[in-house]
Amino acid sequence: MQFLNPALLFGLVAAGIPILLHFLSRRQVVEVPFAPLRFLQPTQEKQMRRMNLKRLLLLLLRILIIVCVVLAAARPTLTGRLAGLAGAGDGTSVVVLLDDSASMTAEMSEGTMFDRARDEVRRIARAMERGDEIAVLMFSDRTRPLFAEFVRDPGLIAAELGGVEPSARRTDYVGALEDALEWMDKAERPRREIYVVGDFQSTQLDSIALARWRGAAQQVTDTAVFLRPVTPEPFVNRQVDLVPRPSVLLRAGDTVELQTRVTQNGEEPIEAPFFLEADGTTVSETELVLPPRASARHRFPLTLQEPGDVGGSVRLRPDRYALDDESHFVLTVNDQVPVKVLRGVTGEEGARDPLLFLLTALDPERDGTGRFEPTVQLANRFDIEALAGAPVVLGADLRDLGGARLDALNDYVRGGGTMLLFVGDPRVRGYVNERLLPNWTSLRLGAFRGEEDVFERLEIVADDHPIFADLEDDARATLEEVRLRNFFRMDETIGRPLLRFAGGGAAVTEVEVGSGRVIIASFEASATAGDLPFSPMFLPLVQRLTGYLATAGWGRFDRDFEVGDTPVVEVRGAIDSEAQWTVVAPDGMRSAAELDASTRPARLSAPVAEAPGLLRFERDGRSIGTVAVNVARSESRRVWWSPELFRDRFEPEEGVRFTNLSGGSTDEAVQAARRGRPIHLWFLIAAGLLLVAESLLSRRVGPAPAV
Amino acid sequence: MAAEAVRMLDPEVVSRLGALDFVARSLVEGFLVGLHRSPYHGFSVEFAEYRQYLPGESTQNIDWRVYAKSDRHYVKVFHEETNLHARILLDVSASMDATPEPGRISKLHYGKLLAAALSYLLLKQNDAVALATFDDKPQKIVPPRSNRRQLNHLLSVLHHTEAGAKTDVGRVLDRMAEMTWRRGLIVIISDLIDDPDRVLQGLKHFRHRQHEVLVMHVLDPREVDLDIGREAKFVDPEKDLDPIRTQPWHLRESYQQAIGEWRGRLARECRSHQIDYVPLLTDTPFDTALLAYLNKRSRLS
């Protein structure tokens, strides 16, 4: 039995009032001198023995009346099996969503957050009533049911929960709620309840998914959602941010500086040892001083030995939330990258030649030793077959390619190729807008800004894009000081703008085309475009853009994955059908990798990653690529939504109702959720019957003694 | 002394008693002639005054000559109608002083007033009045006198009478019956709370010695109806019985039955032995109770 207003149970003290009055009245009797006492005595003994009995009964009745009234006021309800015995209806189908996301692995004073949540779920299961059925779904960015069907024995739930562990995945509330609602299709009970048990770690919400959930939930009227947060203990969390991949093409012998950042949320500065490991060996160590509630940056130098993937990690000593105390990374050390350069047919030469500066940027020494190996061909004469093996094609003021070459270029991009396109000559606008771009995107070259003396500055739009992610502030400022002229403005809402003009319009936009991608720069890389070619940022910008497109690791097939992703690498070259494709997990376990040869290039995928670390793909025992799997840093926010906030975000305008069940014991919460089976009327009726009995008996006993 | 005497006799009570004649029912020894039906009727009668006849009085004393002259009925009043010896025995035991409800007149006080009124009345008729107070033995005894000073003496004694110890009504009455050899009127004012057999034996002893006996049985109303609305500890004023703690409303019915039987028995036994038994309650106005009795006596005579 539970009480909705347990505080009123203090009123039970009032049950002592009749007892107090009883004894006070006995103590305060007056003496009456009574001469004819001899006539009183014979009748007194027998009568009083009986009356004392009645008085005791009366006292008991009065106590019970007060007890019943107080209990009724405290709104008692029957839950659990008692309510079932009392006939509490036809039962409830309960789906419990147990948060097993990465944030739940945080250590508390006793066990982890997940342990707490698991105990909470056990208690919820125990609070179920006879006739209820219950299902437990553990959720992160996916849901895992504890049992394939609803079960009716809470003991099964409790036992099975003992064997589950939290994941390292990110949280997806929308998916969990949708799955819970879907589970209700199997429900056989008239009442449906969904309990969400977790830390309510804040996450980024996909507005489309959220709208989808709201739409579905407002059609459901027989299901209620109850929010039962497990309150975390505050602690100082240190977090290593994900290591950004250097946005340059790496070659053997290079010494890169890995930019790392460590954040803490404590109020005191902390000195924390910080390590860099590469290929399983600690190569660098430092002592970081973390300012209060702020980040500290550190650059780890790492010399790359030979082409191939270099896997490593930076890490701190584990704190109570250890999953974000290390960050795994993979650097791909490349050979020289061939770049197919297509010259347009504008016929400009010298400083006005759009290729002059581009070729210099790709191979600064112009001796074939640069990171890129550009091969220039005329756009209307290029070798169609040669496109197939090119990692990247660079085009400048393309025009009049001819149908076959245009189709070949289109096929190349759609098949997974990449292209960097500079268009700044107003003479090619028509061709580009009408023939070239319509194959790939709805983006068009907009208004041309051609005044001789009017310049516009560039602004970086996509700060977190791999091209700019590791860019220093000075470099950003330098880039944004560049002044341009003779350019087209592009629509900023199409594709992914990387740079824009200060006066409006996209300057550089990335669009995905089929399996490939194209980056369009709406200006020429020549002296006619302003001072960009002469800027210290010109070479890095071109190299970053080209390197980003040229390396598979920067494009669709990233080498950085999150727990929960399916890690994939590209397999270039001929596919041997007899080859053994395997993937080596961080713990050394090997498993088969799945090859998809239907794409170009072929893709090799590992099972879904469930733990952070480095995964190595192998063909016949030889490494063909390494990927890094990290825990989503959104789980490290240490920011929790209140149940009210959660409800505001997820509760539809009608249909499924959300209720906050925080605070109090679990039984109280469940009882409050269901309101149990209210039995206060029973107590009121009992009080009424007792009152009648008291009234009858008190008439026989006589007037109440004056106190 | 005089002031105390006046306080003891409420003037209003006295004036109303003065309008009545006290007529003895039985023959008494005496030398004086009065209105009594005795061998000495009319002896030594001294005319005092006329007063108007009151309905219900005996017509024996109407002066028909005055009626013939004035067409009104007047009664002749004599100063000395008899030399009746009346003895007032007042119970002053502790039980007489007990009052179940504080503030109410006690039986003892009620008895004192009654005794004083009777004394006045008797002395006014030149009867000799004696007074004896008793508890478990005679306490103060004032020998019979019929002069005017006797009244003051009696009133003074009554005034200074305090409640005594335990009751032993039966034994005291026996003793006093032995002591009183001259026949006369014995007025006993008591609550008679004692063994009823012994009380009746004492009363019969007086009758045996040819006394006219008038028993004024005084009780507190609460002692009759037990109308006490609270739980109480009932204590015996004379400490003979253990206290009883009870809620009296539970016992009221059986108690009333017991006390009724007791009073009924006293009344029956008295009647059978020609003893006047007058039940009185202290909430009955003192004078009203006395007048009612005297009226009745008048009619009997």
Side-chain angles (χ1 to χ4, degrees):
Chain A
M1 187 166 64
Q2 301 295 329
F3 295 93
L4 293 182
N5 302 321
L8 290 183
L9 289 177
F10 285 110
L12 284 176
V13 177
I17 292 175
I19 302 171
L20 201 64
L21 290 179
H22 180 79
F23 286 105
L24 279 178
S25 67
R26 288 186 68 82
R27 191 182 302 172
Q28 294 185 354
V29 294
V30 293
E31 276 196 5
V32 173
F34 198 71
L37 198 62
R38 65 179 69 236
F39 299 104
L40 204 55
Q41 207 165 24
T43 55
Q44 190 267 346
E45 284 185 14
K46 192 169 67 181
Q47 290 260 18
M48 282 313 292
R49 202 176 305 124
R50 199 162 53 221
M51 292 317 298
N52 278 339
L53 210 61
K54 288 180 182 174
R55 287 190 63 195
L56 274 180
L57 188 59
L58 200 60
L59 175 66
L60 190 67
L61 285 176
R62 287 168 180 164
I63 291 172
L64 285 177
I65 288 169
I66 292 177
V67 167
C68 284
V69 169
V70 170
L71 289 180
R75 299 294 305 276
T77 57
L78 274 186
T79 55
R81 296 183 179 276
L82 276 178
L85 291 172
D90 299 318
T92 307
S93 295
V94 176
V95 172
V96 182
L97 286 172
L98 169 59
D99 186 351
D100 71 343
S101 64
S103 63
M104 297 295 284
T105 63
E107 295 281 346
M108 297 291 111
S109 53
E110 291 180 2
T112 62
M113 283 290 288
F114 183 76
D115 292 335
R116 290 186 176 193
R118 177 165 47 192
D119 290 345
E120 196 69 28
V121 174
R122 284 191 178 118
R123 286 191 284 267
I124 289 173
R126 278 200 298 268
M128 294 298 109
E129 300 168 358
R130 198 174 68 168
D132 290 351
E133 57 181 14
I134 183 169
V136 176
L137 308 182
M138 288 165 294
F139 75 96
S140 47
D141 57 355
R142 55 89 177 92
T143 52
R144 288 186 292 164
L146 202 59
F147 289 99
E149 302 291 336
F150 279 100
V151 295
R152 294 170 190 176
D153 181 3
L156 283 178
I157 299 287
E160 192 67 16
L161 276 173
V164 298
E165 292 297 332
S167 71
R169 291 170 174 245
R170 64 164 68 228
T171 312
D172 176 11
Y173 292 113
V174 172
L177 288 168
E178 286 178 333
D179 286 350
L181 214 53
E182 192 175 325
W183 258 76
M184 285 302 180
D185 291 342
K186 305 179 188 176
E188 295 177 352
R189 300 291 180 265
R191 288 185 305 188
R192 281 96 194 270
E193 295 173 350
I194 297 171
Y195 290 81
V196 184
V197 182
D199 60 359
F200 290 78
Q201 165 87 42
S202 70
T203 65
Q204 282 188 334
L205 291 176
D206 178 348
S207 58
I208 295 174
L210 191 58
R212 188 181 63 230
W213 152 256
R214 284 173 178 268
Q218 69 181 8
Q219 307 298 325
V220 178
T221 57
D222 60 352
T223 303
V225 175
F226 301 107
L227 310 177
R228 181 69 175 161
V230 179
T231 309
E233 294 168 4
F235 66 87
V236 176
N237 185 49
R238 298 184 301 274
Q239 165 194 340
V240 181
D241 288 353
L242 297 182
V243 178
R245 177 191 300 272
S247 301
V248 293
L249 206 63
L250 301 174
R251 298 191 68 187
D254 286 352
T255 296
V256 296
E257 288 191 329
L258 291 173
Q259 293 185 26
T260 60
R261 190 173 69 168
V262 180
T263 308
Q264 68 133 338
N265 64 353
E267 301 293 342
E268 302 291 333
I270 296 178
E271 288 187 8
F274 194 32
F275 308 90
L276 168 66
E277 288 180 352
D279 288 335
T281 307
T282 301
V283 295
S284 187
E285 180 177 349
T286 187
E287 191 81 17
L288 273 184
V289 178
L290 302 176
R293 303 192 71 84
S295 302
R297 293 175 185 273
H298 182 71
R299 290 170 180 267
F300 276 117
L302 180 63
T303 302
L304 306 172
Q305 301 298 335
E306 55 188 23
D309 289 340
V310 177
S313 62
V314 288
R315 60 181 174 83
L316 293 162
R317 281 183 187 156
D319 55 23
R320 290 171 76 168
Y321 178 56
L323 286 178
D324 64 358
D325 293 335
E326 61 181 354
S327 178
H328 307 282
F329 62 89
V330 171
L331 301 180
T332 302
V333 182
N334 296 279
D335 293 323
Q336 198 175 39
V337 175
V339 177
K340 189 76 69 182
V341 179
L342 304 182
R343 177 192 289 275
V345 288
T346 54
E348 301 291 347
E349 292 181 356
R352 300 181 71 87
D353 180 359
L355 287 186
L356 175 64
F357 293 94
L358 286 173
L359 294 174
T360 305
L362 292 174
D363 184 13
E365 302 298 328
R366 302 300 298 266
D367 58 357
T369 60
R371 298 176 190 277
F372 302 97
E373 184 185 7
T375 308
V376 181
Q377 286 185 304
L378 286 176
N380 55 357
R381 292 182 189 175
F382 69 84
D383 181 4
I384 293 174
E385 296 301 322
L387 281 180
V392 63
V393 174
L394 191 153
D397 287 336
L398 296 183
R399 190 174 69 173
D400 300 335
L401 298 180
R405 287 185 169 74
L406 187 60
D407 292 343
L409 199 58
N410 187 23
D411 290 344
Y412 161 75
V413 172
R414 288 193 172 277
T418 60
M419 184 160 188
L420 178 58
L421 188 62
F422 285 87
V423 185
D425 191 327
R427 290 173 292 177
V428 304
R429 177 183 177 188
Y431 182 81
V432 169
N433 276 353
E434 293 166 15
R435 301 297 303 276
L436 190 60
L437 290 182
N439 292 315
W440 300 329
T441 176
S442 59
L443 188 67
R444 299 289 182 268
L445 301 175
F448 182 73
R449 189 68 182 269
E451 291 88 348
E452 286 294 318
D453 298 326
V454 177
F455 296 88
E456 280 200 27
R457 295 186 188 280
L458 287 173
E459 293 175 353
I460 296 174
V461 182
D463 282 310
D464 55 345
H465 194 280
I467 292 173
F468 304 116
D470 67 337
L471 213 55
E472 295 290 329
D473 292 342
D474 291 348
R476 288 169 183 267
T478 303
L479 182 58
E480 291 183 340
E481 284 173 359
V482 167
R483 300 182 306 160
L484 285 179
R485 63 179 181 180
N486 292 329
F487 55 84
F488 298 99
R489 298 187 197 278
M490 294 187 291
D491 190 340
E492 292 182 69
T493 62
I494 300 174
R496 185 182 186 189
L498 306 180
L499 290 168
R500 69 186 295 277
F501 297 107
V508 178
T509 297
E510 178 183 4
V511 292
E512 294 191 15
V513 181
S515 301
R517 66 188 58 217
V518 177
I519 292 179
I520 306 159
S522 59
F523 50 84
E524 276 188 346
S526 70
T528 59
D531 55 7
L532 177 64
F534 310 104
S535 165
M537 282 306 295
F538 179 70
L539 186 146
L541 178 65
V542 172
Q543 289 215 354
R544 281 167 184 257
L545 289 169
T546 311
Y548 167 75
L549 291 173
T551 55
W554 295 5
R556 172 178 299 272
F557 304 107
D558 204 336
R559 295 298 173 91
D560 294 319
F561 294 90
E562 269 184 16
V563 176
D565 289 344
T566 299
V568 176
V569 292
E570 287 183 339
V571 182
R572 295 184 180 273
I575 303 301
D576 179 2
S577 59
E578 300 296 319
Q580 294 286 321
W581 307 94
T582 53
V583 59
V584 184
D587 58 2
M589 292 289 291
R590 290 174 187 273
S591 55
E594 187 178 343
L595 180 71
D596 180 5
S598 64
T599 62
R600 291 175 58 195
R603 298 172 190 170
L604 190 60
S605 57
V608 174
E610 295 294 350
L614 296 169
L615 284 177
R616 192 172 71 250
F617 289 87
E618 293 179 348
R619 174 171 53 194
D620 295 332
R622 287 188 304 146
S623 175
I624 58 169
T626 303
V627 299
V629 179
N630 283 294
V631 174
R633 290 308 189 254
S634 60
E635 293 292 305
S636 305
R637 288 181 179 170
R638 315 300 300 161
V639 175
W640 299 276
W641 284 331
S642 69
E644 289 77 15
L645 197 61
F646 190 91
R647 186 176 60 196
D648 289 346
R649 300 201 166 168
F650 292 97
E651 187 178 61
E653 290 181 359
E654 53 191 28
V656 174
R657 296 292 89 189
F658 281 59
T659 305
N660 173 16
L661 291 186
S662 58
S665 72
T666 312
D667 287 345
E668 284 172 356
V670 173
Q671 178 265 341
R674 326 189 118 188
R675 304 292 178 207
R677 177 174 175 75
I679 54 170
H680 62 282
L681 272 182
W682 296 5
F683 285 95
L684 284 179
I685 291 170
L689 292 175
L690 289 169
L691 201 61
V692 171
E694 193 271 349
S695 174
L696 291 174
L697 191 61
S698 64
R699 278 185 197 171
R700 300 190 64 174
V701 171
V707 179
Chain B
M1 176 72 72
E4 289 167 1
V6 169
R7 194 169 65 242
M8 288 301 297
L9 284 173
D10 187 332
E12 186 184 347
V13 174
V14 171
S15 65
R16 294 174 70 177
L17 284 176
L20 294 170
D21 292 336
F22 181 78
V23 182
R25 187 164 52 88
S26 307
L27 291 173
V28 294
E29 285 185 18
F31 297 99
L32 302 175
V33 177
L35 298 175
H36 310 293
R37 289 174 297 182
S38 74
Y40 314 111
H41 183 242
F43 180 79
S44 187
V45 172
E46 184 183 343
F47 173 75
E49 60 180 353
Y50 281 110
R51 65 165 176 79
Q52 196 161 6
Y53 171 77
L54 296 173
E57 282 187 79
S58 170
T59 56
Q60 193 173 5
N61 296 328
I62 293 177
D63 191 329
W64 297 108
R65 280 183 292 188
V66 174
Y67 172 71
K69 290 178 184 173
S70 64
D71 202 19
R72 291 179 182 172
H73 293 98
Y74 281 97
V75 176
K76 280 198 268 189
V77 178
F78 300 91
H79 279 309
E80 295 184 3
E81 293 179 341
T82 181
N83 59 349
L84 171 69
H85 274 234
R87 288 175 176 80
I88 299 173
L89 309 185
L90 176 61
D91 184 353
V92 296
S93 64
S95 70
M96 286 290 284
D97 199 31
T99 311
E101 284 184 85
R104 295 181 69 95
I105 183 170
S106 70
K107 291 177 287 184
L108 179 59
H109 191 55
Y110 191 89
K112 284 180 182 180
L113 291 174
L114 193 55
L118 283 172
S119 302
Y120 183 83
L121 181 63
L122 288 163
L123 287 169
K124 191 176 178 186
Q125 295 185 141
N126 288 333
D127 289 336
V129 180
L131 174 69
T133 61
F134 67 93
D135 42 23
D136 57 346
K137 57 185 180 297
Q139 292 291 342
K140 290 181 181 173
I141 297 177
V142 179
R145 299 279 188 279
S146 61
N147 55 36
R148 283 285 174 187
R149 290 172 59 193
Q150 177 72 349
L151 180 63
N152 285 340
H153 188 192
L154 290 174
L155 295 181
S156 174
V157 168
L158 285 171
H159 181 73
H160 289 101
T161 296
E162 299 290 338
K166 296 179 179 179
T167 312
D168 195 349
V169 180
R171 193 166 70 90
V172 171
L173 291 181
D174 259 342
R175 280 188 60 188
M176 297 189 75
E178 290 292 335
M179 292 162 57
T180 312
W181 58 269
R182 184 173 178 172
R183 284 191 293 162
L185 176 63
I186 306 295
V187 179
I188 300 167
I189 302 171
S190 171
D191 57 9
L192 302 180
I193 292 177
D194 198 355
D195 180 5
D197 291 331
R198 296 184 60 193
V199 169
L200 287 168
Q201 186 184 346
L203 294 175
K204 288 174 192 172
H205 198 165
F206 278 111
R207 286 298 295 152
H208 179 70
R209 299 185 70 103
Q210 304 290 308
H211 293 293
E212 188 66 25
V213 182
L214 173 59
V215 177
M216 303 276 193
H217 189 194
V218 183
L219 288 173
D220 189 283
R222 299 292 88 83
E223 292 175 344
V224 175
D225 57 21
L226 197 64
D227 188 10
I228 297 172
R230 63 181 185 278
E231 184 172 353
K233 183 177 169 185
F234 291 84
V235 295
D236 182 8
E238 298 180 2
K239 315 293 184 195
D240 281 338
L241 301 172
D242 291 334
I244 293 174
R245 181 195 177 106
T246 188
Q247 292 171 329
W249 53 90
H250 302 314
L251 312 175
R252 189 173 296 145
E253 196 176 337
S254 55
Y255 173 80
Q256 286 176 352
Q257 187 181 352
I259 207 93
E261 286 174 0
W262 172 59
R263 293 172 81 193
R265 182 188 171 195
L266 287 174
R268 276 196 313 278
E269 295 276 349
C270 287
R271 192 162 54 244
S272 66
H273 291 88
Q274 294 178 310
I275 298 170
D276 281 334
Y277 174 81
V278 183
L280 292 172
L281 299 178
T282 56
D283 66 347
T284 309
F286 163 71
D287 49 351
T288 305
L290 191 54
L291 284 173
Y293 170 69
L294 291 179
N295 274 327
K296 181 182 173 188
R297 290 293 297 180
S298 298
R299 285 195 298 274
L300 284 175
S301 62

